[in-house]
């Protein structure tokens, strides 16, 4: 029997979205629900996992309903998710023991610093490709287990389960039948040996996380069970899973060494595919699993920017500039030329290549005639400058990616703006390929599900469904771009902590 549809669930940081695709990778219908953010204290960010599951079911149902489709017409469901965010729940009741700790949460920075001072980071990096940073899941899990009396003992007894958002949603969708994650999400926990492709007993001991609470690790295109029939009107096979950035890598068709993409959402994540080699970064970038298909692992170098689109949100909310990102752009385009204002948006620290959780944001270069328009443009510039930081680091670790024909494929909310994409090309000095379809994260999950569900015969056929791109090349003099970048670097030097 031929199935015309692939369903994708994209559980993100600020919203949960479902998109129904045709077997050719074309969007048929979608639905989205915003996700409430909880900020208990400075540097702490939490989500309600119960709200996430309820929203997941709601948007999946809505996407099917808007398309006039039935569950029986869906070949497979793919799941993609905000990575590193973790939740712990009761195996028997299925209820979270507390809120999920979000990838942006920095409360475990002291724990990471303590491990770093003991000399643990080189070994952690050798096994995981990651750095000791509160961004990742391990110290979050340990914090949760220590946050309630008796919880750690219950975890060691097997009464408690844990996972990233893909794992949580799949466990709930399958009625507790499947407790599994994929290799890309596992590779972001600081607990997974990316070379042995297994949870590391050495790391579990280091971070004090019981193996009993962790899920099985499957391929990105694999059998993750079926949804409960009552949720979507009939069982739907879950056949693809990947963390959001790896899903976007797939959605952009970056399956060959040297191909790279950047996704601009709350933060920005730049990945360059390195094939079956797992490079060691000399520039404090991350080595991560790009995908695992048929048991074969591909790797990527990754740089993470904590604040990209979130800077525009700050201007919306904190400075009361209305109209979302489009409103901020309209204001920014009225900025005085050559104003020299730099926004360093280290609201929750700096990501790669600085990795300074204690850095905090600053506005520099202001004069008496600086106004909201100049600050708004500085927010867009900051995303471009931080991307340039990553590109300069990647040139050291993967120089072949920046030869003739190099292209940075971009997607995510900020890529809707052709003006910003041109600014990105200007300030990074790298040609930019702007995707004609921006929801490449959801598309990537759908393509993996289609591969796992037999819609596509192989990885190359699945990647061929990626959207077309519009190419943009640098349009300002190189000297102007270099002077602007030098101002950025001076600003960053002033906000780095003394740790």
């Amino acid at each position: 029997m031929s199935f015309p549809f692939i369903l994708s669930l994209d559980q993100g940081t600020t919203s949960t979205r479902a998109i129904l695709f045709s077997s050719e990778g074309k969007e048929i219908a979608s639905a989205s629900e915003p996700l409430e953010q909880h900020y208990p204290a400075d540097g702490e960010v939490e989500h309600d996992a119960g709200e996430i599951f309820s929203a997941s079911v709601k948007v999946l149902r809505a996407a099917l309903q808007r398309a006039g489709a039935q569950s029986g017409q869906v070949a497979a469901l793919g799941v993609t998710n905000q990575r590193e965010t973790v939740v712990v729940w009761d195996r028997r009741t299925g209820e979270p023991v507390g809120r999920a700790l979000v990838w942006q949460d920095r409360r475990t920075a002291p724990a990471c610093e303590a491990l770093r001072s003991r000399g643990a980071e080189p070994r952690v990096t050798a096994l995981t490709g990651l750095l000791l940073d509160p961004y990742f899941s391990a110290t979050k899990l340990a914090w949760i287990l220590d946050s309630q009396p008796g919880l750690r003992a219950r975890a060691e007894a097997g009464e408690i389960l844990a996972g990233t958002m893909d794992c949580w949603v799949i466990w709930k969708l399958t009625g507790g039948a499947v407790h599994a994650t994929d290799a890309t999400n596992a590779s972001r926990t600081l607990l997974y040996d990316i070379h042995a492709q297994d949870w590391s007993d050495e790391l579990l001991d280091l971070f004090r996380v019981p193996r009993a609470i962790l899920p099985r690790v499957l391929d990105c295109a694999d059998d993750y069970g079926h949804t409960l029939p009552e949720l979507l009107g009939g069982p739907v096979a879950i056949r693809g899973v990947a963390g959001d950035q790896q899903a976007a890598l797939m959605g952009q068709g970056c399956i060959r060494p040297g191909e790279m993409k950047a996704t601009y959402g709350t933060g920005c994540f730049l990945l360059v595919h390195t094939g079956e080699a797992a490079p060691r970064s000399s520039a404090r970038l991350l080595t991560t699993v790009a995908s695992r298909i048929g048991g074969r692992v591909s790797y990527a170098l990754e740089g993470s920017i904590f604040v990209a689109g979130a800077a525009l949100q700050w201007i919306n909310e904190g400075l009361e500039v209305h109209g979302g990102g489009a409103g901020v752009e309209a204001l920014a385009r009225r900025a005085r030329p050559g104003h020299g204002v730099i926004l360093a948006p280290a609201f929750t620290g700096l990501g790669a290549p600085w990795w300074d959780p204690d850095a905090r944001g600053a506005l520099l270069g202001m004069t008496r005639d600086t106004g909201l328009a100049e600050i708004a443009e500085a927010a867009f510039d900051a995303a471009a400058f931080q991307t340039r930081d990553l590109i300069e680091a990647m040139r050291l670790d993967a120089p072949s990616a920046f030869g003739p024909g190099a292209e940075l494929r971009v997607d995510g909310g900020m890529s809707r703006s052709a003006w910003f994409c041109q600014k990105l090309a200007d300030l990074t000095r790298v040609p930019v390929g702007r995707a004609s379809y921006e929801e490449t994260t959801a598309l990537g999950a759908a393509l993996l599900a289609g591969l796992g569900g037999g819609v596509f015969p192989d990885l190359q056929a699945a990647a061929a469904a990626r959207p077309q791109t519009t190419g943009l090349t640098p349009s300002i003099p190189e000297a102007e771009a270099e002077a602007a970048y030098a101002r950025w670097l001076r600003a960053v030097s002033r906000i780095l902590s003394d740790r």
Side-chain angles (χ1 to χ4, degrees):
M1 182 178 180
S2 175
F3 299 98
F5 300 130
I6 307 170
L7 191 55
S8 180
L9 177 67
D10 181 358
Q11 201 297 294
T13 306
T14 58
S15 68
T16 302
R17 181 185 306 273
I19 302 179
L20 190 68
F21 292 95
S22 72
S23 56
E24 291 78 32
K26 306 300 183 184
E27 180 178 324
I28 305 300
S30 68
S32 179
E33 282 287 309
L35 177 58
E36 183 177 0
Q37 311 294 303
H38 300 273
Y39 305 102
D42 180 42
E44 297 184 3
V45 190
E46 299 177 349
H47 286 164
D48 183 332
E51 177 191 355
I52 286 173
F53 175 65
S54 297
S56 297
V57 174
K58 183 176 181 179
V59 296
L60 288 169
R61 287 175 175 170
L64 289 171
Q65 183 179 31
R66 290 173 185 176
Q70 305 296 317
S71 59
Q73 296 174 281
V74 178
L77 167 64
V79 177
T80 184
N81 58 289
Q82 50 168 318
R83 304 170 305 171
E84 299 94 18
T85 299
V86 288
V87 63
V88 174
W89 67 93
D90 187 296
R91 179 195 292 269
R92 182 181 61 83
T93 67
E95 293 298 317
V97 302
R99 287 179 183 154
L101 300 194
V102 179
W103 58 272
Q104 298 161 309
D105 193 283
R106 313 301 290 175
R107 75 186 68 187
T108 61
C112 291
E113 184 57 39
L115 289 169
R116 190 180 296 107
S117 67
R118 288 166 45 189
E121 186 167 69
R123 181 59 177 164
V124 169
T125 300
L127 293 174
T128 68
L130 309 178
L131 302 172
L132 274 173
D133 192 89
Y135 171 38
F136 305 109
S137 309
T139 53
K140 291 178 169 67
L141 278 174
W143 187 93
I144 294 172
L145 293 179
D146 291 335
S147 67
Q148 299 177 25
L151 188 57
R152 178 171 290 279
R154 293 184 64 208
E156 292 169 348
E159 299 174 11
I160 298 296
L161 298 177
T164 44
M165 288 299 102
D166 60 310
C167 180
W168 161 250
V169 170
I170 290 169
W171 194 85
K172 295 288 285 186
L173 287 173
T174 61
V178 177
H179 184 221
T181 190
D182 84 296
T184 68
N185 277 295
S187 75
R188 310 296 297 187
T189 61
L190 280 178
L191 300 171
Y192 191 70
D193 185 332
I194 63 172
H195 311 287
Q197 289 292 299
D198 193 12
W199 301 116
S200 165
D201 288 329
E202 181 180 349
L203 295 172
L204 295 175
D205 288 343
L206 179 68
F207 291 103
R208 301 180 304 113
V209 174
R211 181 182 279 264
I213 70 173
L214 297 175
R216 290 184 297 139
V217 181
L218 305 179
D219 284 357
C220 299
D222 213 326
D223 184 353
Y224 289 83
H226 291 75
T227 63
L228 293 173
E230 60 267 27
L231 294 178
L232 303 177
V236 174
I238 307 172
R239 293 293 181 266
V241 177
D244 53 8
Q245 302 314 314
Q246 285 90 340
L249 196 69
M250 177 66 188
Q252 286 277 31
C254 297
I255 61 172
R256 300 170 186 85
E259 294 178 329
M260 58 182 167
K261 71 90 200 174
T263 297
Y264 294 88
T266 302
C268 171
F269 302 87
L270 197 161
L271 279 75
V272 57
H273 199 291
T274 62
E276 296 185 13
R280 290 290 298 273
S281 174
S282 61
R284 291 179 66 78
L285 298 175
L286 308 177
T287 303
T288 195
V289 173
S291 67
R292 196 174 83 189
I293 307 291
R296 296 186 64 177
V297 185
S298 294
Y299 297 92
L301 279 172
E302 176 175 337
S304 307
I305 298 169
F306 294 155
V307 174
L312 309 186
Q313 186 180 33
W314 168 70
I315 291 176
N316 287 149
E317 297 173 356
L319 303 184
E320 298 184 352
V321 173
H322 304 296
V328 180
E329 178 183 335
L331 179 63
R333 296 179 75 158
R334 300 201 300 268
R336 179 170 43 83
H339 55 76
V341 175
I342 296 289
L343 169 63
F347 303 147
T348 55
L350 287 174
W354 312 104
W355 291 111
D356 188 345
D358 299 318
R360 285 297 178 265
L363 269 168
L364 299 101
M366 291 190 294
T367 58
R368 180 63 183 82
D369 53 357
T370 296
L372 284 178
E374 287 72 34
I375 295 171
E377 185 175 31
F380 285 97
D381 289 345
F385 288 137
Q386 289 178 100
T387 304
R388 172 78 180 264
D389 288 341
L390 299 181
I391 287 172
E392 294 305 317
M394 286 182 174
R395 286 186 196 277
L396 300 176
D397 294 325
S400 62
F402 298 93
E407 179 186 66
L408 177 63
R409 299 173 186 170
V410 300
D411 53 63
M414 292 181 73
S415 72
R416 297 172 189 166
S417 168
W419 176 79
F420 167 69
C421 290
Q422 183 61 62
K423 181 180 286 289
L424 190 62
D426 289 342
L427 296 178
T428 64
R429 314 305 295 170
V430 173
V432 169
R434 182 183 174 215
S436 58
Y437 178 69
E438 68 188 45
E439 299 296 343
T440 53
T441 300
L443 175 61
L447 297 179
L448 289 169
L451 180 60
V455 176
F456 304 110
D458 53 39
L459 182 62
Q460 290 70 30
R466 80 173 182 91
Q468 298 300 307
T469 57
T470 300
L472 299 166
T473 56
S475 64
I476 65 173
E478 183 175 0
E480 182 180 339
E482 294 305 313
Y485 186 54
R487 288 195 298 273
W488 164 259
L489 292 177
R490 287 195 297 271
V492 169
S493 71
R494 297 177 68 175
I495 66 168
L496 293 173
S497 68
D498 296 326
R499 68 183 181 92

